[in-house]
Amino acid sequence: MRAYQLPQATGIDALVEVDLPTPKPGPRQVLVKVAACSLNYRDLAIALGTYRMPTKPGLVPLSDGAGEVVEVGAGVTRVKVGDRVASCFFQRWIGGPPEADTHASALGGGIDGMLREYAVLEEHGVVKLPSHLSLEEGATLPCAAVTAWHALAEHARVVAGQTVLVQGTGGVSIFALQLARLMGAKVIVTSSSEQKLARAKELGAAHGVNYKTTPEWDKAVVEASGGGVDHVVEVGGPGTLAQSLRAIRIGGKITLIGVLSGAAEINPMLIFSRRANLQGISVGSMQMFEAMNRAISVSGLKPIIDKVFSFDDARAAYRHLQSAQHFGKIVIRV
């Protein structure tokens, strides 16, 4: 089968196409014929050698993929041959709090990922896709969408009428915008692009703040929200956290997801003074994925795909992600 491997984390050009044996599912495992994959910032960091977690040597990259079950191992009851499924980011996190070794089962990191024609996944490491989604749309869900759902539904417990701030217009942020609107929340979006802010408003954002033309964007967010937002989906990390803390209402919540802005010192008095609830998360469990899919099915929500690349153009897909010009998700058709 065709696949990509990353023999060394020295850059996008280190990604090589290889021919690997088609795997066979063992007990409680399924074989998926992969139709599409999607990229996350984590995948770029792994290729560039800047990811914070250890990765498997000779890694097959990408956590996110969707396809059709073509074979099942002994004892499998959750899915059957012919089911349309997506991979779970963590192959061994069914539900509840994550175990200490959960990260060892992360696709495209601790274990081989989805950038290949066939993948063996754990029975509890796949979920059935909403029927109205294509396989390409389904491939966008495992990391970014589940992360956004975890932030909004599990940590923040967002309810109708609250206000949510999302940073930027990448995969997690656009899913957070869509899901927050689904929950009845008012959404404020930050970006350095007026064009992207306009597109975010088309998806239901109530306000957009350009952080280049408005460096003190936290003040603009407080004004737009009438005193501070209830929740921030924080993808920037330490470099933006201080302003996020100033943008929330007293007692507001911040879900810390990414570190796109790099390291910075944080004054703990900001946390105390805002009585902030700050939680770091890492994607989510299979049960969170299934709960999100129920909401997506009922609402008819459709993921926003920026661009679809062919399997032969996988490196170009990585470069498009690196350019930060995308709005929504980048997909590779297998």
Side-chain angles (χ1 to χ4, degrees), residues 42-126:
R42 164 185 180 260
D43 302 312
L44 178 62
I46 288 172
L48 298 177
T50 59
Y51 189 54
R52 59 187 175 83
M53 302 291 290
T55 59
K56 176 183 177 291
L59 179 73
V60 174
L62 305 193
S63 59
D64 291 18
E68 182 179 319
V69 176
V70 292
E71 188 179 346
V72 298
V76 171
T77 59
R78 289 189 64 249
V79 296
K80 64 184 184 303
V81 171
D83 282 344
R84 300 161 68 251
V85 298
S87 57
C88 293
F89 185 96
F90 295 113
Q91 289 290 286
R92 293 194 299 273
W93 184 10
I94 297 173
E99 300 291 337
D101 64 349
T102 294
H103 259 284
S105 72
L107 288 171
I111 60 176
D112 282 335
M114 298 299 291
L115 195 52
R116 48 183 164 163
E117 290 182 307
Y118 292 90
V120 165
L121 302 172
E122 301 299 323
E123 177 186 17
H124 289 90
V126 296

Side-chain angles (χ1 to χ4, degrees), residues 205-262:
H207 297 282
V209 180
N210 188 317
Y211 61 80
K212 275 196 174 178
T213 58
T214 310
E216 294 184 325
W217 53 262
D218 51 301
K219 294 181 179 178
V221 168
V222 169
E223 182 178 354
S225 60
V229 299
D230 296 281
H231 181 230
V232 179
V233 180
E234 170 61 71
V235 300
T240 51
L241 183 55
Q243 282 182 279
S244 291
L245 284 163
R246 289 191 285 265
I248 60 171
R249 64 168 173 81
I250 299 296
K253 295 180 179 180
I254 298 175
T255 310
L256 186 61
I257 290 163
V259 289
L260 302 184
S261 61

